[in-house]
Amino acid sequence: MNWTRFKTYLYHNADLGVSLDISRVPFPDDYLATMEPRMQQALADMAALENGAIANPDEHRMVGHYWLRAPQLAPTPAITEEITTTLAAIKAFAGKIHSGEISGSKGKFKHLLVIGIGGSALGPQLVSHALGHPRKDKLGVHFFDNTDPDGMDYVLGELRGQLGKTLVVVISKSGGTAETRNGMLEATAAFQAAGIDHTKHFVAVTGAGSKLDQVAQNEHWLARFAMWDWVGGRTSELSAVGLLPAALQGIDIQAMLDGAAAMDVVTRTAVTAENPAALLALMWFIETGGRGQKDMVVLPYKDRLLLFSRYLQQLVMESLGKELDLHGNVVNQGIAVYGNKGSTDQHAYVQQLREGVNNFFVTFIEVLKDRDAKTSLAVEPGVTSGDYLQGFLLGTRDALSEKDRHSITLTIPDVSPRTLGMLIALYERVVGLYASLIGINAYHQPGVEAGKKAAGGVIALQAKILAALHAAPGQAFTAEALATSIGAGEQTEIVYKILEHLAANRGSGVKKRARARWFEATYRVNPAAA
């Protein structure tokens, strides 16, 4: 790596305060020129998407998350109106919560419980962690982001005695997502157990007419906010999904939108060398061979960006991890993403990155501003903790380069609402451009739907198991015998796993008797339980 190459390939935008260094990816001198026709096609595809083309052919849907921060670009006046009125409603509702005009059963709201999963949780969690402040937040934020009962109990333990001052936002486009529905029911039960009318505390973010929308209307919840079928979950952070929780927390959501809009303007340019999203997409392409041959390691050197790699995991892997291309050919595409934060990683997996399997490329994220305080403590003469943080970033980058480990460095001025909006917009655009380069649909997720369907099959099988046990109270069955009796012999392993889970949880009524050989253990329900 040398100064001449750095000068040649550093992208710097003074207006945004953003720099992108691709000089440590050793692409040939003619690479950008060679890829230019393909990149121009990708940019054209992106322009068509923003103009309202059907970009998700499987579901015959438009893809319009870019309109969320530029409503005037939406293809119809009706969509423009929906975006602007929803944003105004979010700001007005948050203002009423903060002022106490809308309050809980025990007084002014002090806590916020967000119930969602996937894109309905990862984005809000990233923003809450990155931009929150324990002394400045209007509401303390908590999350149900899974269907793990113990995890929900943990969060409810944090809110013990505070439910009367807790606002709950339930987020699900379809209203039928099992994990979110379960969280809603668990939260409802907790409010009822505390003698509190949950309907005076609950808010829905969902699609018009969805199951959740119907519940919210029938029970007269505090408010309902729209989700649209042209916004996918993993690109929904700048819709009501992410803006409502952020506004309630007290974060400047307009600054987030403005930052995203500013990045969108820059990443629309057709001049590849002046488009950071295009440059990043091309780096992903050459590093992975356009086939996911290397993993992407994301190393933000900032505690507040700890969750950024988790956010990118969904955005990148759900968008790009596809079996088929747009022509129906089997391609098994994708890029694996993982990461933590620097300099914690110095003491974890950087050892393998430098000396182990060379099957990755790194994206370092450098934040120039150390802290909000005017001055920092000198831990050594003329040296602060923040100086050390940068030193570890630059040192690790050099250490990897010495071993022919490739890296990209993205430099941002600070972690602020505007900058976080820029980051979100940048990577949304990169994913779209890269998907065009490799010819896949970035906006559907058939694998996720397959998993949901399979999970439903497991729940249905559990019902058959319980019915069989209750039909023969006191009778003990091995997993194999029970599977045969209900016509599920080919699923004996699943039957065994279900029985083990039921027996481990007292409320199921299923009792286990262990045997010397584990597969001869028997399961039954007591006659009284039946």
Side-chain angles (χ1 to χ4, degrees), residues 359-400:
N359 63 346
F360 64 91
F361 66 101
V362 176
T363 298
F364 289 99
I365 300 178
E366 177 185 29
V367 182
L368 295 179
K369 186 176 181 180
D370 289 340
R371 63 180 3 144
D372 286 335
K374 292 183 179 179
T375 59
S376 286
L377 174 73
V379 295
E380 295 175 8
V383 180
T384 68
S385 298
D387 297 333
Y388 262 105
L389 188 63
Q390 186 192 43
F392 282 124
L393 185 157
L394 298 178
T396 301
R397 195 175 63 156
D398 278 350
L400 293 178

Side-chain angles (χ1 to χ4, degrees), residues 106-314:
K106 298 295 178 67
K108 191 174 180 180
F109 286 113
K110 292 185 176 180
H111 300 276
L112 173 63
L113 173 59
V114 179
I115 302 177
I117 195 164
S120 298
L122 287 167
Q125 286 171 321
L126 165 67
V127 171
S128 177
H129 185 266
L131 302 177
H133 193 292
R135 294 196 303 274
K136 297 178 182 178
D137 288 347
K138 302 290 187 180
L139 300 178
V141 188
H142 310 262
F143 291 89
F144 281 2
D145 65 347
N146 201 356
T147 187
D148 179 2
D150 183 58
M152 289 184 274
D153 287 346
Y154 184 93
V155 173
L156 291 172
E158 294 178 324
L159 292 170
R160 185 174 183 180
Q162 296 296 313
L163 290 182
K165 298 180 180 181
T166 298
L167 182 68
V168 179
V169 175
V170 184
I171 306 172
S172 173
K173 184 191 292 187
S174 68
T177 303
E179 297 94 332
T180 304
R181 180 209 60 193
N182 296 352
M184 178 187 73
L185 295 175
E186 293 266 5
T188 299
F191 274 83
Q192 291 174 345
I196 299 170
D197 181 359
H198 73 280
T199 67
K200 307 303 182 187
H201 291 247
F202 278 38
V203 175
V205 179
T206 189
S210 73
K211 294 177 183 178
L212 175 58
D213 194 38
Q214 293 173 37
V215 170
Q217 288 187 73
N218 293 337
E219 295 186 353
H220 304 290
W221 287 13
L222 283 177
R224 293 159 29 238
F225 294 90
M227 292 179 72
W228 305 288
D229 64 3
W230 40 265
V231 177
R234 55 191 174 279
T235 54
S236 65
E237 175 52 33
L238 298 179
S239 73
V241 169
L243 295 181
L244 179 62
L248 290 167
Q249 188 173 348
I251 291 165
D252 186 348
I253 60 172
Q254 190 59 56
M256 288 177 60
L257 290 167
D258 291 345
M263 181 60 75
D264 283 342
V265 170
V266 169
T267 55
R268 285 190 190 104
T269 181
V271 181
T272 300
E274 298 175 7
N275 186 327
L279 292 172
L280 266 176
L282 290 171
M283 295 307 101
W284 292 8
F285 189 88
I286 193 168
E287 280 296 304
T288 68
R291 291 301 306 268
Q293 293 168 352
K294 286 188 177 181
D295 300 341
M296 184 193 314
V297 182
V298 181
L299 299 183
Y301 273 66
K302 201 69 175 176
D303 285 4
R304 286 184 174 274
L305 294 179
L306 169 66
L307 300 182
F308 191 55
S309 60
R310 287 178 58 188
Y311 170 79
L312 287 182
Q313 274 181 337
Q314 183 187 20

Side-chain angles (χ1 to χ4, degrees), residues 384-416:
T384 68
S385 298
D387 297 333
Y388 262 105
L389 188 63
Q390 186 192 43
F392 282 124
L393 185 157
L394 298 178
T396 301
R397 195 175 63 156
D398 278 350
L400 293 178
S401 293
E402 288 172 0
K403 292 291 187 176
D404 193 32
R405 270 60 170 169
H406 306 165
S407 68
I408 299 160
T409 302
L410 177 63
T411 302
I412 56 177
D414 51 28
V415 179
S416 63

